[in-house]
């Protein structure tokens, strides 16, 4: 009766769009820093380095959150 029904139980990457946005911002900031050259103001360079470090830390946390979401989904699937 239900031969055509397919159930996909793989967890969806809920934070995928956020990860992509943060990664793009991170890469853009790194490119700007690389293109600054020697004549860039020290304040600009410090600001870019601080932004890059912050984005790196946030990305790591978001990846960890996605892993937790995936693990919880797998546990819920295992209980059913």
């Amino acid at each position: 009766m239900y031969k055509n029904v397919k159930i996909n139980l793989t967890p969806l990457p809920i934070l995928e769009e956020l990860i992509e946005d943060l990664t793009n911002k991170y890469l853009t900031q790194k490119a700007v820093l690389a293109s600054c050259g020697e004549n860039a103001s020290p304040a600009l360079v410090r600001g870019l380095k601080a932004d890059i470090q912050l984005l790196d830390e946030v990305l790591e946390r978001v990846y960890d959150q996605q892993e937790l979401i995936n693990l919880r989904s797998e546990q819920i699937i295992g209980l059913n």
Side-chain angles (χ1 to χ4, degrees):
M1 182 174 179
Y2 297 105
K3 293 180 182 178
N4 293 334
V5 176
K6 293 182 182 179
I7 299 174
N8 183 2
L9 297 177
T10 56
L12 296 174
I14 296 169
L15 301 174
E16 182 179 340
E17 187 175 337
L18 177 60
I19 290 170
E20 285 179 21
D21 291 344
L22 289 171
T23 302
N24 289 338
K25 181 68 173 173
Y26 175 82
L27 294 174
T28 301
Q29 294 291 76
K30 286 192 79 152
V32 170
L33 180 62
S35 68
C36 279
E38 298 175 8
N39 298 327
S41 74
L44 174 65
V45 173
R46 276 193 310 272
L48 287 170
K49 286 182 179 179
D51 287 350
I52 290 167
Q53 182 178 357
L54 178 63
L55 285 166
D56 188 42
E57 291 170 4
V58 170
L59 264 168
E60 188 173 323
R61 289 181 182 176
V62 173
Y63 279 124
D64 291 343
Q65 284 294 328
Q66 183 62 56
E67 284 298 316
L68 285 174
I69 291 169
N70 291 349
L71 289 173
R72 287 182 188 144
S73 296
E74 290 172 8
Q75 287 176 344
I76 290 170
I77 291 170
L79 292 175
N80 291 333

Coordinates of all heavy atoms in Angstrom, one line a residue:
M1 N 0.8 -1.2 0.0 CA 0.0 0.0 0.0 C 0.9 1.3 0.0 O 0.5 2.2 -0.7 CB -0.9 0.0 1.2 CG -1.8 1.1 1.3 SD -3.0 0.9 2.7 CE -3.9 2.3 2.6
Y2 N 1.9 1.2 0.8 CA 2.8 2.4 0.9 C 4.2 2.2 0.2 O 5.2 2.6 0.8 CB 3.0 2.8 2.3 CG 1.7 3.2 3.0 CD1 1.0 2.4 3.9 CD2 1.1 4.5 2.7 CE1 -0.1 2.8 4.5 CE2 -0.1 4.8 3.3 CZ -0.7 4.0 4.2 OH -1.9 4.4 4.8
K3 N 4.2 1.6 -0.9 CA 5.5 1.2 -1.5 C 6.2 2.4 -2.1 O 7.4 2.4 -2.2 CB 5.3 0.2 -2.6 CG 4.8 -1.1 -2.1 CD 4.7 -2.1 -3.2 CE 4.2 -3.4 -2.6 NZ 3.9 -4.4 -3.6
N4 N 5.5 3.5 -2.4 CA 6.1 4.7 -3.0 C 6.5 5.7 -2.0 O 7.1 6.8 -2.3 CB 5.2 5.3 -4.0 CG 4.9 4.4 -5.2 OD1 5.8 3.6 -5.5 ND2 3.8 4.6 -5.9
V5 N 6.3 5.5 -0.7 CA 6.6 6.5 0.4 C 8.0 6.3 0.8 O 8.5 5.2 1.1 CB 5.7 6.3 1.6 CG1 6.1 7.2 2.7 CG2 4.2 6.5 1.2
K6 N 8.8 7.4 0.7 CA 10.2 7.4 1.1 C 10.3 8.4 2.3 O 9.9 9.5 2.2 CB 11.1 7.8 0.0 CG 11.1 6.8 -1.1 CD 12.1 7.2 -2.2 CE 12.0 6.2 -3.3 NZ 12.9 6.5 -4.4
I7 N 10.9 7.9 3.3 CA 11.1 8.8 4.5 C 12.6 9.0 4.7 O 13.4 8.1 4.7 CB 10.6 8.1 5.8 CG1 9.1 7.9 5.6 CG2 10.9 8.9 7.0 CD1 8.5 7.1 6.8
N8 N 13.0 10.3 4.7 CA 14.4 10.7 4.8 C 14.6 11.1 6.3 O 14.1 12.1 6.7 CB 14.7 11.8 3.9 CG 16.2 12.2 3.9 OD1 17.0 11.6 4.7 ND2 16.5 13.2 3.2
L9 N 15.3 10.3 7.0 CA 15.6 10.6 8.4 C 16.9 11.2 8.7 O 17.3 11.4 9.8 CB 15.5 9.3 9.2 CG 14.1 8.6 9.2 CD1 14.1 7.3 10.0 CD2 13.0 9.5 9.8
T10 N 17.6 11.6 7.7 CA 18.9 12.2 7.9 C 18.7 13.7 8.4 O 17.8 14.4 7.9 CB 19.8 12.3 6.6 OG1 19.0 13.0 5.6 CG2 20.1 10.9 6.1
P11 N 19.5 14.1 9.4 CA 19.3 15.4 9.9 C 19.7 16.5 8.9 O 20.6 16.4 8.2 CB 20.2 15.5 11.1 CG 21.2 14.4 10.9 CD 20.6 13.4 10.0
L12 N 18.8 17.5 8.8 CA 19.1 18.6 8.0 C 20.1 19.6 8.6 O 20.0 19.9 9.8 CB 17.8 19.4 7.6 CG 16.8 18.6 6.9 CD1 15.5 19.4 6.8 CD2 17.3 18.3 5.5
P13 N 21.0 20.2 7.9 CA 21.9 21.2 8.4 C 21.2 22.5 8.7 O 21.1 23.4 7.9 CB 23.0 21.3 7.4 CG 22.4 20.9 6.1 CD 21.3 19.9 6.5
I14 N 20.6 22.6 9.9 CA 19.8 23.7 10.3 C 20.6 25.1 10.2 O 20.1 26.1 9.8 CB 19.2 23.5 11.7 CG1 18.3 22.3 11.7 CG2 18.5 24.8 12.2 CD1 17.9 21.9 13.0
L15 N 21.8 25.0 10.6 CA 22.6 26.2 10.6 C 23.5 26.5 9.4 O 24.4 27.3 9.4 CB 23.5 26.2 11.9 CG 22.8 26.1 13.2 CD1 23.8 25.9 14.3 CD2 21.9 27.2 13.4
E16 N 23.1 25.8 8.3 CA 23.9 25.8 7.1 C 24.0 27.2 6.5 O 25.1 27.7 6.1 CB 23.3 24.9 6.0 CG 24.1 24.9 4.7 CD 23.5 23.9 3.7 OE1 22.8 23.0 4.1 OE2 23.9 24.1 2.5
E17 N 22.9 27.9 6.4 CA 22.9 29.3 5.9 C 23.8 30.2 6.7 O 24.5 31.0 6.2 CB 21.5 29.8 5.8 CG 21.4 31.1 5.0 CD 20.0 31.6 4.8 OE1 19.1 30.7 4.8 OE2 19.8 32.8 4.6
L18 N 23.7 30.1 8.0 CA 24.5 30.9 8.9 C 25.9 30.6 8.8 O 26.8 31.5 8.7 CB 24.0 30.7 10.4 CG 24.8 31.5 11.4 CD1 24.8 33.0 11.2 CD2 24.3 31.1 12.8
I19 N 26.3 29.4 8.6 CA 27.7 29.0 8.5 C 28.2 29.5 7.1 O 29.3 30.0 7.1 CB 27.8 27.4 8.5 CG1 27.6 26.9 9.9 CG2 29.2 27.0 8.0 CD1 27.4 25.4 10.0
E20 N 27.4 29.5 6.1 CA 27.8 30.0 4.8 C 28.1 31.5 4.9 O 29.1 32.0 4.4 CB 26.8 29.7 3.7 CG 26.8 28.3 3.2 CD 25.7 28.0 2.2 OE1 25.3 29.0 1.6 OE2 25.3 26.9 2.0
D21 N 27.2 32.2 5.5 CA 27.3 33.7 5.7 C 28.5 34.1 6.5 O 29.3 35.0 6.1 CB 26.0 34.3 6.3 CG 24.8 34.2 5.4 OD1 25.0 34.0 4.2 OD2 23.7 34.4 6.0
L22 N 28.7 33.4 7.6 CA 29.9 33.7 8.4 C 31.2 33.3 7.7 O 32.2 34.1 7.8 CB 29.8 32.9 9.7 CG 28.8 33.4 10.7 CD1 28.6 32.4 11.9 CD2 29.1 34.8 11.2
T23 N 31.2 32.2 7.0 CA 32.4 31.8 6.2 C 32.7 32.9 5.1 O 33.9 33.3 5.0 CB 32.2 30.5 5.6 OG1 31.9 29.5 6.6 CG2 33.4 30.0 4.8
N24 N 31.7 33.3 4.4 CA 31.9 34.4 3.4 C 32.4 35.7 4.0 O 33.3 36.3 3.5 CB 30.6 34.7 2.6 CG 30.2 33.5 1.7 OD1 31.0 32.7 1.3 ND2 28.9 33.4 1.4
K25 N 31.9 36.1 5.1 CA 32.4 37.3 5.8 C 33.8 37.1 6.3 O 34.6 38.0 6.1 CB 31.5 37.6 7.0 CG 31.8 38.8 7.8 CD 31.6 40.1 6.9 CE 31.8 41.3 7.8 NZ 31.8 42.5 7.0
Y26 N 34.1 35.9 6.8 CA 35.5 35.6 7.3 C 36.5 35.7 6.1 O 37.5 36.3 6.2 CB 35.5 34.2 7.9 CG 36.8 33.7 8.3 CD1 37.4 34.0 9.5 CD2 37.5 32.8 7.5 CE1 38.6 33.5 9.9 CE2 38.8 32.3 7.8 CZ 39.3 32.7 9.0 OH 40.5 32.2 9.4
L27 N 36.1 35.1 5.0 CA 37.0 35.1 3.8 C 37.1 36.5 3.2 O 38.2 36.9 2.8 CB 36.5 34.1 2.7 CG 36.5 32.6 3.1 CD1 35.9 31.8 2.1 CD2 38.0 32.2 3.4
T28 N 36.1 37.3 3.3 CA 36.1 38.6 2.8 C 37.1 39.5 3.6 O 37.9 40.2 3.1 CB 34.7 39.3 2.7 OG1 33.9 38.5 1.9 CG2 34.8 40.7 2.2
Q29 N 36.9 39.3 4.9 CA 37.8 40.1 5.9 C 39.2 39.7 5.7 O 40.1 40.6 5.7 CB 37.4 39.9 7.3 CG 36.0 40.4 7.7 CD 35.9 41.9 7.7 OE1 35.9 42.6 6.6 NE2 35.9 42.5 8.8
K30 N 39.5 38.4 5.5 CA 40.9 38.0 5.2 C 41.4 38.6 3.9 O 42.6 39.0 3.9 CB 41.0 36.5 5.2 CG 40.9 35.9 6.6 CD 41.2 34.4 6.7 CE 42.7 34.4 6.7 NZ 43.3 33.3 7.3
A31 N 40.6 38.6 2.9 CA 41.0 39.2 1.6 C 41.3 40.7 1.8 O 42.3 41.2 1.2 CB 40.0 38.9 0.6
V32 N 40.5 41.4 2.5 CA 40.7 42.8 2.7 C 42.0 43.0 3.5 O 42.8 43.9 3.1 CB 39.5 43.5 3.4 CG1 39.8 44.9 3.9 CG2 38.3 43.4 2.6
L33 N 42.2 42.2 4.5 CA 43.5 42.4 5.3 C 44.7 42.1 4.4 O 45.7 42.8 4.5 CB 43.4 41.4 6.5 CG 44.7 41.4 7.4 CD1 44.8 42.8 8.0 CD2 44.6 40.3 8.4
A34 N 44.6 41.1 3.5 CA 45.7 40.7 2.7 C 46.0 41.8 1.6 O 47.1 42.1 1.2 CB 45.4 39.4 2.0
S35 N 44.9 42.6 1.2 CA 45.1 43.6 0.2 C 45.4 45.0 0.8 O 45.6 45.9 0.0 CB 43.8 43.7 -0.7 OG 42.8 44.2 0.1
C36 N 45.5 45.1 2.1 CA 45.7 46.4 2.7 C 47.1 46.9 2.3 O 47.3 48.1 2.1 CB 45.6 46.3 4.2 SG 43.9 46.4 4.8
G37 N 48.1 46.1 2.4 CA 49.4 46.5 2.0 C 50.1 47.2 3.2 O 49.5 47.3 4.3
E38 N 51.2 47.8 3.0 CA 52.0 48.4 4.0 C 51.5 49.8 4.5 O 51.8 50.2 5.6 CB 53.5 48.6 3.6 CG 54.2 47.3 3.3 CD 55.6 47.5 2.7 OE1 56.0 48.6 2.6 OE2 56.2 46.5 2.3
N39 N 50.8 50.4 3.6 CA 50.3 51.8 3.9 C 49.0 51.9 4.7 O 48.5 53.0 4.9 CB 50.2 52.6 2.6 CG 51.5 52.7 1.9 OD1 52.5 52.8 2.5 ND2 51.5 52.7 0.6
A40 N 48.5 50.7 5.1 CA 47.2 50.7 5.8 C 47.4 51.2 7.2 O 48.5 51.0 7.8 CB 46.6 49.3 5.8
S41 N 46.4 51.9 7.7 CA 46.6 52.4 9.1 C 46.6 51.2 10.1 O 45.9 50.2 9.9 CB 45.4 53.3 9.4 OG 44.2 52.6 9.6
P42 N 47.4 51.4 11.1 CA 47.5 50.3 12.1 C 46.1 50.0 12.8 O 45.8 48.8 13.1 CB 48.5 50.8 13.2 CG 49.3 51.8 12.4 CD 48.4 52.4 11.4
A43 N 45.3 51.0 13.0 CA 44.0 50.8 13.6 C 43.1 49.9 12.7 O 42.4 49.0 13.1 CB 43.3 52.1 13.8
L44 N 43.2 50.1 11.3 CA 42.4 49.3 10.4 C 42.9 47.9 10.5 O 42.1 46.9 10.5 CB 42.6 49.9 9.0 CG 41.9 49.0 7.9 CD1 40.4 49.0 8.0 CD2 42.3 49.6 6.5
V45 N 44.2 47.7 10.5 CA 44.7 46.3 10.5 C 44.3 45.6 11.8 O 43.9 44.5 11.8 CB 46.3 46.3 10.3 CG1 46.9 45.0 10.5 CG2 46.6 46.9 8.9
R46 N 44.4 46.3 12.9 CA 44.0 45.7 14.2 C 42.5 45.4 14.2 O 42.1 44.3 14.7 CB 44.3 46.7 15.4 CG 45.7 46.7 15.9 CD 45.8 47.4 17.2 NE 45.2 48.8 17.2 CZ 45.8 49.9 16.8 NH1 47.1 49.8 16.4 NH2 45.2 51.0 16.9
G47 N 41.7 46.3 13.6 CA 40.3 46.0 13.6 C 40.0 44.8 12.7 O 39.1 43.9 13.1
L48 N 40.6 44.7 11.6 CA 40.4 43.5 10.7 C 40.8 42.2 11.4 O 40.1 41.2 11.3 CB 41.1 43.7 9.4 CG 40.5 44.7 8.4 CD1 41.4 45.0 7.2 CD2 39.2 44.3 7.9
K49 N 42.0 42.3 12.0 CA 42.5 41.1 12.7 C 41.5 40.7 13.8 O 41.3 39.5 14.0 CB 43.9 41.3 13.3 CG 45.0 41.3 12.2 CD 46.3 41.5 12.8 CE 47.4 41.4 11.7 NZ 48.8 41.6 12.2
A50 N 41.0 41.6 14.6 CA 40.0 41.3 15.6 C 38.8 40.8 15.1 O 38.2 39.8 15.6 CB 39.7 42.6 16.4
D51 N 38.3 41.3 13.9 CA 37.1 40.8 13.3 C 37.3 39.3 12.8 O 36.4 38.5 13.0 CB 36.7 41.7 12.1 CG 36.1 43.0 12.5 OD1 35.8 43.2 13.7 OD2 35.9 43.8 11.6
I52 N 38.4 39.1 12.2 CA 38.7 37.7 11.7 C 38.8 36.7 12.9 O 38.2 35.7 12.8 CB 40.1 37.8 10.9 CG1 39.9 38.5 9.6 CG2 40.6 36.3 10.7 CD1 41.2 38.9 8.9
Q53 N 39.4 37.1 14.0 CA 39.5 36.2 15.2 C 38.1 36.0 15.7 O 37.8 34.8 16.0 CB 40.4 36.8 16.2 CG 40.6 35.9 17.4 CD 41.5 36.5 18.5 OE1 42.1 37.6 18.3 NE2 41.6 35.8 19.6
L54 N 37.3 37.0 15.8 CA 35.9 36.9 16.3 C 35.1 35.9 15.4 O 34.4 35.0 15.9 CB 35.2 38.2 16.5 CG 33.8 38.2 17.0 CD1 33.7 37.6 18.4 CD2 33.2 39.6 16.9
L55 N 35.2 36.2 14.1 CA 34.4 35.3 13.2 C 34.9 33.9 13.3 O 34.1 33.0 13.2 CB 34.6 35.9 11.8 CG 33.8 37.1 11.4 CD1 34.3 37.8 10.1 CD2 32.3 36.8 11.3
D56 N 36.2 33.7 13.4 CA 36.7 32.3 13.5 C 36.1 31.6 14.8 O 35.7 30.5 14.7 CB 38.2 32.4 13.6 CG 38.9 31.0 13.6 OD1 38.4 30.1 12.7 OD2 39.8 30.7 14.3
E57 N 36.1 32.3 15.9 CA 35.5 31.8 17.1 C 34.0 31.5 17.0 O 33.6 30.5 17.4 CB 35.8 32.7 18.3 CG 37.3 32.8 18.7 CD 37.5 33.9 19.7 OE1 36.6 34.6 20.1 OE2 38.7 34.1 20.0
V58 N 33.3 32.4 16.4 CA 31.9 32.2 16.2 C 31.6 31.1 15.3 O 30.7 30.2 15.5 CB 31.2 33.5 15.7 CG1 29.8 33.3 15.3 CG2 31.3 34.6 16.7
L59 N 32.4 31.0 14.2 CA 32.2 29.8 13.3 C 32.4 28.5 14.0 O 31.7 27.5 13.8 CB 33.2 30.0 12.1 CG 32.6 30.6 10.9 CD1 33.7 30.9 9.9 CD2 31.6 29.7 10.2
E60 N 33.4 28.4 14.8 CA 33.7 27.2 15.6 C 32.5 26.8 16.5 O 32.1 25.7 16.5 CB 35.0 27.4 16.4 CG 35.4 26.1 17.0 CD 36.8 26.3 17.7 OE1 37.6 27.0 17.2 OE2 37.0 25.7 18.8
R61 N 32.0 27.8 17.1 CA 30.8 27.6 18.0 C 29.6 27.1 17.2 O 28.8 26.2 17.6 CB 30.4 28.8 18.8 CG 31.4 29.1 19.9 CD 31.0 30.3 20.6 NE 32.0 30.7 21.6 CZ 32.0 31.7 22.4 NH1 31.0 32.6 22.3 NH2 32.9 32.0 23.3
V62 N 29.4 27.7 16.0 CA 28.2 27.4 15.2 C 28.4 25.9 14.7 O 27.4 25.2 14.6 CB 28.0 28.4 14.0 CG1 26.9 27.9 13.1 CG2 27.7 29.7 14.6
Y63 N 29.6 25.6 14.2 CA 29.9 24.2 13.8 C 29.6 23.2 15.0 O 29.0 22.2 14.7 CB 31.3 24.0 13.4 CG 31.6 24.5 12.0 CD1 32.6 25.4 11.7 CD2 30.9 23.9 10.9 CE1 32.9 25.8 10.4 CE2 31.2 24.4 9.6 CZ 32.2 25.3 9.4 OH 32.5 25.7 8.1
D64 N 30.0 23.6 16.2 CA 29.8 22.7 17.3 C 28.3 22.6 17.6 O 27.8 21.5 17.9 CB 30.5 23.2 18.6 CG 32.0 23.1 18.5 OD1 32.5 22.3 17.6 OD2 32.7 23.8 19.3
Q65 N 27.5 23.7 17.5 CA 26.1 23.6 17.7 C 25.4 22.7 16.6 O 24.5 21.9 16.9 CB 25.5 25.0 17.6 CG 25.7 25.9 18.8 CD 25.0 25.3 20.0 OE1 23.9 24.7 19.9 NE2 25.5 25.5 21.2
Q66 N 25.9 22.8 15.4 CA 25.3 22.0 14.3 C 25.6 20.5 14.6 O 24.7 19.6 14.4 CB 25.9 22.3 13.0 CG 25.3 21.5 11.8 CD 23.8 21.8 11.7 OE1 23.3 22.9 11.5 NE2 23.0 20.7 11.7
E67 N 26.8 20.2 15.1 CA 27.1 18.8 15.5 C 26.2 18.3 16.6 O 25.7 17.2 16.6 CB 28.6 18.7 16.0 CG 29.5 18.7 14.8 CD 29.4 17.6 13.9 OE1 29.2 16.4 14.3 OE2 29.4 17.8 12.6
L68 N 25.9 19.2 17.6 CA 25.0 18.8 18.7 C 23.6 18.5 18.2 O 22.9 17.6 18.6 CB 24.9 19.9 19.8 CG 26.1 20.0 20.7 CD1 26.0 21.2 21.6 CD2 26.3 18.7 21.5
I69 N 23.2 19.4 17.3 CA 21.8 19.2 16.6 C 21.8 17.9 15.9 O 20.8 17.1 16.0 CB 21.5 20.4 15.7 CG1 21.3 21.7 16.5 CG2 20.3 20.1 14.8 CD1 21.2 22.9 15.7
N70 N 22.9 17.6 15.2 CA 22.9 16.3 14.4 C 22.9 15.1 15.4 O 22.2 14.1 15.1 CB 24.2 16.2 13.5 CG 24.1 17.2 12.4 OD1 23.1 17.8 12.1 ND2 25.3 17.4 11.8
L71 N 23.6 15.2 16.5 CA 23.7 14.1 17.4 C 22.3 13.9 18.1 O 21.9 12.8 18.3 CB 24.7 14.4 18.5 CG 26.2 14.2 18.0 CD1 27.1 14.7 19.2 CD2 26.5 12.8 17.6
R72 N 21.7 15.0 18.4 CA 20.3 14.9 19.0 C 19.3 14.2 18.1 O 18.5 13.4 18.4 CB 19.8 16.2 19.5 CG 20.5 16.7 20.7 CD 20.0 18.0 21.2 NE 20.8 18.6 22.3 CZ 21.1 19.8 22.5 NH1 20.6 20.7 21.7 NH2 21.8 20.2 23.5
S73 N 19.4 14.6 16.8 CA 18.5 14.1 15.8 C 18.8 12.6 15.6 O 17.8 11.8 15.5 CB 18.8 14.8 14.4 OG 18.4 16.1 14.5
E74 N 20.0 12.2 15.6 CA 20.4 10.8 15.5 C 19.9 10.0 16.7 O 19.4 8.9 16.6 CB 21.9 10.6 15.4 CG 22.4 11.1 14.0 CD 23.9 11.1 13.9 OE1 24.6 10.5 14.9 OE2 24.4 11.6 12.9
Q75 N 19.9 10.6 17.9 CA 19.4 9.9 19.1 C 17.9 9.8 19.0 O 17.4 8.7 19.4 CB 19.8 10.7 20.4 CG 21.2 10.6 20.7 CD 21.6 11.5 21.9 OE1 20.8 12.4 22.3 NE2 22.7 11.3 22.5
I76 N 17.2 10.8 18.6 CA 15.8 10.7 18.5 C 15.4 9.7 17.4 O 14.5 8.9 17.7 CB 15.2 12.1 18.1 CG1 15.3 13.1 19.3 CG2 13.7 12.0 17.7 CD1 15.0 14.5 18.9
I77 N 16.1 9.6 16.3 CA 15.8 8.6 15.3 C 16.0 7.2 15.9 O 15.3 6.3 15.6 CB 16.7 8.9 14.0 CG1 16.2 10.1 13.3 CG2 16.6 7.7 13.1 CD1 17.2 10.6 12.2
G78 N 17.1 7.1 16.7 CA 17.4 5.8 17.3 C 16.4 5.3 18.3 O 16.2 4.1 18.5
L79 N 15.7 6.3 18.9 CA 14.6 5.9 19.9 C 13.3 5.4 19.2 O 12.6 4.7 19.8 CB 14.3 7.1 20.8 CG 15.4 7.6 21.7 CD1 15.0 8.8 22.4 CD2 15.7 6.5 22.7
N80 N 13.1 5.8 18.0 CA 11.9 5.4 17.3 C 11.9 4.1 16.8 O 12.5 3.4 16.3 CB 11.5 6.4 16.2 CG 11.1 7.8 16.7 OD1 10.6 7.8 17.8 ND2 11.4 8.8 16.0

